[in-house]
């Protein structure tokens, strides 16, 4: 078998390293497959051997060993006429010389284009591929596939202080706290920043999570705060607070000097302050990849900013906006952006939603959400999905104070109204995921609605405390809800068999500390009706 395999390897090398115009790569593959199939033990050995050395062949034919000193060292040098760009036949006036060169090229063959200038990585072995597939089984289940099994757990972050932002950044490269875990960023209503440790699963308890509270939030001497002050009339919330996708920076608006500020989360150090708007910045939004930030202001304009990168990490904002977008008659109240779909969207108190292109800043269309009254309904919140669906939330004034009505509208990427729904509850938080819309209300309910119809996908989850922020973890395994009383509610689905049956084997955990950490994440939230004042 080894002799046959060695012979076959020589044949393949001959065909690949000495290209011939009469034999294509497809024919070579058919020859190899026929010979390998005729000898089953050889086929297995041959496949593994080729897989282990495939990158070496790529380096020789298409890679960094095709030309230069590396090619000389690898004895991979051919006649100079066979290389791409070595001879320009059209520039040779002498017909005899041109035909001679054409004959030489036809005789020696044609070397492929050089595609790579660096070594190609080796292919993963079958054993490693099997181990990798086994690891995929421990990923946490998608929450939205198990909506009938929702359960809520509580974590106290800032007791008594409203939790206005709680998010797990999407593209973290390493943990700030515990290796192997992510960070969960929280911001309280007083501007206090927390960077907690978050592990969405354990290999033996996939549905649960590990949450380790940032010790700095409970110690007055180590607490970290956003630099202020904020402008009167601006409420610190998720509308004016955006975390970079790598979890290193916090972008904030609403400041008295009309600036957008950039704060490094690790030390709560102000690293950027950009003043381009001529009035207070009322809303911010970041695109899915963390490339562009969009801001809206009381000056009726929106600006698109590029997020600067340094060493692969977010380092700040461009000093000048990429685009300045106009069109509203009143204050911009909400913005959303999708770089992939080239969409920059803004909503205003004037009741309009305007769409521009990101790259050129061109006006595309205006949407006017339907309203029962003759007066336009201000647009309070906006979300844009990965397929371009636009969700707008409007506020319709009632006949008396406190009787306002809140409506949700879903549009297609082309601006076609797909569905509208009126709610009696005040919407205080909104988050869009593929196929679903998550709504938090001032009355303390969490709605999960079908995106295309806005109908309830499951009965509302009663949290009994006003909701201040809503986000979904990057694996779509949990919903993070910030409440008015400072609690972080983690909504998951299902319950592991080990816990249901009471089988707590210590070999699953590795240490007593691990058990206590997971137990803290198993504290179910049983809300009590707030006492009447």
């Amino acid at each position: 078998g080894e002799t046959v395999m060695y012979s076959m390897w020589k044949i393949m090398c001959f065909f690949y390293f000495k290209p011939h115009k009469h034999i294509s790569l497809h024919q070579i593959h058919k020859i190899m497959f026929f010979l390998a199939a005729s000898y089953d033990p050889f086929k297995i050995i041959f496949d593994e051997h080729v897989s282990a050395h495939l990158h070496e062949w790529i380096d020789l034919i298409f890679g960094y060993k095709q030309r230069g000193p590396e090619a000389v060292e690898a004895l991979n040098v051919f006649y100079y006429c066979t290389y791409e760009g070595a001879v320009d036949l059209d520039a040779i006036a002498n017909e005899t010389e041109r035909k001679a060169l054409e004959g030489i090229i036809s005789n020696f063959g044609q070397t492929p284009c050089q595609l790579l200038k660096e070594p190609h990585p080796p292919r993963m072995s079958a054993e490693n591929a099997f181990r990798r597939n086994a690891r995929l089984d421990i990923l946490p289940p998608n929450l939205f596939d198990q909506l009938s099994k929702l359960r809520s757990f509580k974590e106290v972050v800032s007791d008594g202080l409203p939790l206005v932002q709680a998010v797990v950044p999407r593209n973290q490269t390493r943990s700030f706290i515990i290796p192997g875990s992510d960070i969960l960023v929280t911001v309280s209503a007083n501007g206090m920043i927390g960077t907690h440790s978050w592990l969405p699963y354990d290999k033996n308890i996939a549905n649960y999570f590990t949450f380790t509270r940032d010790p700095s939030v409970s110690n007055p001497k180590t607490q970290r705060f956003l630099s202020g002050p904020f402008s009167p009339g601006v409420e610190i919330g998720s509308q004016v607070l955006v975390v970079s996708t790598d979890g290193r920076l916090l972008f904030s608006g609403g400041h008295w000097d009309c600036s957008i500020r950039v704060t490094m989360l690790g030390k709560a150090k102000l690293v950027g302050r950009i003043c381009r708007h001529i009035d207070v910045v009322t809303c911010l939004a970041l695109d899915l990849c963390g490339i562009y930030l969009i801001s809206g202001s009381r000056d009726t304009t929106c600006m698109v900013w590029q997020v600067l990168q340094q060493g692969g990490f977010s380092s700040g904002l461009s000093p000048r906006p990429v685009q300045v977008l106009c069109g509203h008659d009143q204050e911009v109240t909400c913005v959303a952006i999708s770089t992939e779909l080239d969409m920059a969207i803004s909503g205003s108190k004037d009741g309009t939603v305007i769409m521009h292109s990101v790259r050129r800043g061109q006006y595309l269309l205006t949407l006017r959400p339907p309203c029962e009254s003759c007066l336009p309904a201000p647009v309070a919140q906006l979300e844009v999905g990965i397929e371009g669906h636009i969700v707008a939330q409007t506020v319709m004034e009632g006949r008396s104070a406190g009787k306002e009505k809140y409506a949700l509208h879903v549009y297609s990427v082309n601006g076609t109204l797909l569905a509208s729904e009126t709610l009696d509850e005040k919407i205080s938080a909104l988050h869009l995921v593929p196929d679903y819309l998550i709504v938090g209300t001032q009355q303390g309910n969490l709605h999960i609605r079908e995106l295309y119809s806005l109908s309830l996908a499951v009965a509302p989850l009663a949290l009994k405390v006003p909701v201040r922020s809503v986000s979904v973890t990057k694996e779509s395994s949990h919903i993070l809800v910030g409440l008015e009383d400072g609690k972080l509610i983690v909504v998951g689905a299902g319950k592991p068999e080990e816990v249901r049956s009471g089988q707590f084997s210590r070999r699953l955990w590795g240490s007593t500390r691990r058990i206590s950490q997971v137990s803290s994440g198993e504290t179910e939230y049983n809300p009590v009706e707030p006492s009447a004042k």
Side-chain angles (χ1 to χ4, degrees), residues 411-446:
Y411 293 87
S412 71
V413 67
N414 295 319
T416 302
L417 182 63
L418 301 179
S420 292
E421 184 73 21
T422 302
L423 283 74
D424 293 328
E425 298 180 70
K426 180 180 180 180
I427 299 174
S428 54
L430 206 63
H431 189 82
L432 181 61
V433 297
D435 300 327
Y436 293 98
L437 179 67
I438 306 169
V439 180
T441 70
Q442 190 69 22
Q443 285 71 22
N445 292 318
L446 188 71

Side-chain angles (χ1 to χ4, degrees), residues 233-235 237-242 253-254 277 280-285 294-303 325 327-336 345-354 367 369 376-383 391-395 427-428 430:
V234 174
E235 183 179 3
S238 56
Q239 289 279 78
V240 293
L241 300 172
V242 171
H277 284 285
V280 175
V281 175
T282 55
C283 47
L284 296 172
I294 184 172
S295 61
S297 170
R298 289 177 182 169
D299 63 11
T300 73
T301 68
C302 298
M303 296 186 184
L325 312 176
H328 291 291
D329 296 326
Q330 297 183 38
E331 169 186 332
V332 178
T333 53
C334 48
V335 287
I345 310 167
S346 57
S348 170
K349 282 187 175 180
D350 61 15
T352 62
V353 176
I354 298 180
L367 304 175
V379 183
Q381 297 188 67
L382 272 179
E383 291 284 329
V391 176
Q393 182 242 314
T394 58
V395 182
I427 299 174
S428 54
L430 206 63

Side-chain angles (χ1 to χ4, degrees), residues 11-259:
I11 294 171
M12 186 178 71
C13 290
F14 172 79
F15 282 124
Y16 277 133
F17 296 160
K18 299 292 184 183
H20 195 278
K21 66 178 181 179
H22 298 298
I23 300 179
S24 66
L25 293 180
H26 178 67
Q27 290 173 320
I28 297 172
H29 292 158
K30 290 180 67 175
I31 294 170
M32 303 305 295
F33 179 80
F34 172 77
L35 293 174
S38 64
Y39 185 68
D40 288 339
F42 160 71
K43 183 177 186 298
I44 299 172
I45 300 173
F46 177 77
D47 286 346
E48 284 300 318
H49 186 83
V50 170
S51 294
H53 296 274
L54 188 62
H55 65 287
E56 299 174 5
W57 168 75
I58 294 174
D59 289 337
L60 290 170
I61 303 303
F62 302 104
Y64 78 111
K65 290 184 179 181
Q66 188 195 88
R67 302 186 184 190
E70 296 290 346
V72 175
E73 186 176 347
L75 303 178
N76 190 38
V77 180
F78 298 90
Y79 191 67
Y80 80 98
C81 289
T82 64
Y83 291 97
E84 182 186 25
V87 177
D88 185 3
L89 293 176
D90 295 332
I92 300 175
N94 191 318
E95 184 177 354
T96 303
E97 184 179 350
R98 185 173 64 253
K99 288 185 176 180
L101 283 174
E102 288 176 351
I104 292 173
I105 294 172
S106 299
N107 182 61
F108 282 93
Q110 180 69 50
T111 304
C113 301
Q114 187 177 16
L115 303 179
L116 306 171
K117 299 296 180 66
E118 297 177 355
H120 193 283
R123 186 181 181 186
M124 186 182 296
S125 66
E127 183 180 358
N128 290 338
F130 176 78
R131 291 177 180 175
R132 182 176 181 180
N133 288 333
R135 285 199 299 270
L136 293 177
D137 295 336
I138 66 172
L139 292 177
N142 190 318
L143 170 79
F144 300 98
D145 294 335
Q146 308 180 71
L147 290 178
S148 61
K149 302 178 181 179
L150 294 182
R151 301 177 67 205
S152 57
F153 306 89
K154 68 176 180 180
E155 299 290 347
V156 178
V157 175
S158 53
D159 199 10
L161 292 172
L163 197 62
V164 299
Q165 183 68 291
V167 61
V168 176
R170 297 181 60 87
N171 300 325
Q172 301 180 45
T173 53
R174 58 186 176 86
S175 171
F176 285 30
I177 304 172
I178 298 177
S181 66
D182 291 325
I183 65 166
L184 191 159
V185 180
T186 61
V187 183
S188 302
N190 63 345
M192 183 174 65
I193 300 171
T195 50
H196 317 272
S197 175
W198 167 261
L199 190 65
Y201 63 94
D202 184 276
K203 64 181 180 180
N204 297 298
I205 51 168
N207 290 357
Y208 281 176
F209 61 92
T210 303
F211 175 88
T212 305
R213 185 183 179 189
D214 184 353
S216 69
V217 301
S218 57
N219 187 347
K221 295 182 179 179
T222 58
Q223 288 176 347
R224 295 163 292 163
F225 294 90
L226 279 172
S227 61
F230 287 84
S231 175
V234 174
E235 183 179 3
I236 301 179
S238 56
Q239 289 279 78
V240 293
L241 300 172
V242 171
V243 179
S244 65
T245 55
D246 59 5
R248 293 176 62 87
L249 301 178
L250 176 65
F251 306 105
S252 59
H255 299 282
W256 65 275
D257 57 357
C258 311
S259 66

Side-chain angles (χ1 to χ4, degrees), residues 325-327 353-357 360-368:
L325 312 176
C326 304
V353 176
I354 298 180
M355 184 191 302
H356 290 83
S357 65
R360 296 186 178 182
Q362 292 180 334
Y363 166 81
L364 299 177
L365 58 88
T366 297
L367 304 175
R368 290 179 171 83

